[in-house]
């Protein structure tokens, strides 16, 4: 059996299955302190063994350098108790040394969406894709030519600085590090800080929709213009606001102004896998880990 964990700041989703497409059992636990949460996850997974591979898509920041002694750690998170937590090696050891694959939650989601795209394209897995999640924070994963991109650490699209919308100049932003970065302007808490309710609770004619769409569209334009991804997939709770993905796509086309050479092929879409991208991506990490032994 392959085992997968989508490790989030509020919940851990656990799953097992023979292949990434055949999850046969799943379980959700609350994210509490690291020792309690990891022990509970390991106990549930162990009861569904024997396991041949474990994949973890984790909230971060995380260490992805295989040569680092901290590989598989959550590093500098502000989440109380979790900074410097060994996740990957700890869980592998707790599960009898099972091979483990580890990446960010959004790179895992990007991998799964990339594979779903390839299936739709008749198996052509050459494309490139970014996955942006908009929820309590904003994160981004990137798959270029079929491989997740890490760089020196991993992408953090949430913390780029967009140009301010003309009707949104006074709001200081909510990011504790940057104030008015993308996350500080467009994540769920920034919406509530300005307008008192979530984006999906604002009336359809409220200017907040265009303001949020503008910021996310700028991030998509950055991705199209800098790394020339073919698709940007927009997931997360805020992105489920009716009409938002369409607004973002329309605004991004306006921002491009017909310039980019790949413009006609650029797409901004909702996740093909709905809310299953993250856990499916963790299953893919498990499959790869099992194959590598
Ligand atoms: Zn920031």
């Amino acid at each position: 059996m392959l085992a997968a964990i989508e490790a989030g700041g509020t919940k851990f989703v656990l799953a097992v299955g023979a292949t990434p497409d055949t999850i046969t059992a799943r379980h959700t636990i609350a994210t509490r302190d690291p020792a309690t949460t990891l022990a509970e996850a390991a106990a549930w997974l162990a009861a569904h063994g024997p396991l041949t591979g474990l994949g973890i898509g984790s909230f971060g920041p995380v260490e992805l350098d295989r040569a680092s002694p901290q590989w598989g750690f959550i590093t500098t998170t502000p989440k109380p108790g979790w900074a410097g937590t060994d996740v990957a090696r700890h869980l592998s050891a707790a599960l009898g040394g099972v091979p483990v694959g580890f990446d960010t939650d959004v790179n895992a989601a990007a991998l799964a969406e990339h594979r779903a795209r390839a299936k739709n394209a008749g198996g052509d897995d050459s494309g490139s894709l970014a996955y942006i999640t908009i929820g309590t924070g904003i994160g981004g994963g990137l798959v270029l030519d079929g491989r997740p991109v890490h760089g020196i650490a991993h992408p953090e699209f949430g913390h780029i600085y967009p140009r301010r919308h003309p009707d949104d100049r006074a709001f200081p932003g909510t990011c504790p590090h940057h104030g008015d970065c993308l996350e500080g302007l467009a994540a769920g808490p920034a919406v509530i800080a300005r307008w008192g309710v979530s984006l999906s609770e604002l009336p359809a004619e409220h200017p907040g929709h265009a303001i949020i769409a503008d910021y996310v569209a700028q991030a998509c334009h950055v991705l199209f213009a800098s790394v020339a991804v073919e698709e940007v997939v927009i997931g997360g709770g805020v992105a489920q606001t009716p009409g938002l993905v369409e607004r973002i796509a329309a605004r991004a086309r306006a921002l491009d102004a017909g310039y980019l050479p790949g413009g006609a092929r650029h797409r901004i879409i909702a996740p093909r896998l709905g809310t299953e991208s993250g856990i499916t991506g963790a299953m893919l990490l498990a499959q790869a880990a099992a194959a590598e032994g």
Side-chain angles (χ1 to χ4, degrees):
M1 290 291 254
L2 301 172
I5 301 177
E6 186 180 14
T10 56
K11 63 180 181 179
F12 273 40
V13 178
L14 317 173
V16 292
T19 73
D21 296 318
T22 53
I23 290 174
T24 45
R26 70 170 68 206
H27 183 56
T28 301
I29 62 175
T31 308
R32 287 168 287 162
D33 65 280
T36 307
T37 310
L38 297 179
E40 196 177 345
W44 188 87
L45 293 174
H48 290 78
L51 304 176
T52 54
L54 168 65
I56 305 167
S58 178
F59 73 101
V62 294
E63 179 57 76
L64 299 177
D65 178 2
R66 278 274 180 181
S68 166
Q70 271 79 48
W71 174 82
F73 279 47
I74 291 172
T75 55
T76 56
T77 179
K79 187 169 176 59
W82 281 85
T85 296
D86 176 3
V87 174
R89 288 190 172 108
H90 176 88
L91 284 170
S92 174
L95 294 167
V98 65
V100 57
F102 184 76
D103 212 318
T104 62
D105 47 4
V106 281
N107 263 348
L111 264 181
E113 287 292 326
H114 182 269
R115 181 164 159 277
R117 176 208 158 278
K119 275 188 176 173
N120 275 9
D124 168 22
D125 63 355
S126 63
S128 52
L129 172 152
Y131 179 94
I132 296 181
T133 180
I134 313 172
T136 53
I138 294 182
L142 184 58
V143 172
L144 292 181
D145 301 325
R147 278 195 288 276
V149 171
H150 296 155
I152 197 73
H154 48 77
E156 286 281 4
F157 301 147
H159 299 278
I160 63 173
Y161 290 104
R163 180 170 65 184
R164 295 299 294 264
H165 189 281
D167 298 331
D168 189 44
R169 296 213 190 276
F171 180 61
T174 59
C175 178
H177 304 284
H178 313 113
D180 60 348
C181 66
L182 179 64
E183 178 172 300
L185 290 171
V191 172
I192 290 171
R194 286 197 204 72
W195 302 304
V197 295
S198 70
L199 199 62
S200 59
E201 291 169 318
L202 286 178
E205 66 279 11
H206 191 282
H209 293 285
I211 290 171
I212 298 305
D214 176 54
Y215 292 135
V216 181
Q218 291 187 57
C220 295
H221 180 73
V222 166
L223 287 160
F224 292 142
S226 58
V227 286
V229 289
E230 185 176 359
E231 291 184 349
V232 181
V233 181
I234 312 277
V238 175
Q240 290 173 31
T241 303
L244 183 66
V245 171
E246 292 78 8
R247 279 180 187 271
I248 294 167
R251 182 62 188 145
R253 274 193 299 277
L255 289 169
D256 174 37
Y259 174 74
L260 292 174
R265 290 177 59 196
H266 290 155
R267 280 191 300 276
I268 296 172
I269 58 171
R272 289 186 172 88
L273 300 172
T275 56
E276 291 290 290
S277 316
I279 195 67
T280 304
M283 289 291 281
L284 290 170
L285 295 172
Q287 186 181 48
E292 287 166 17

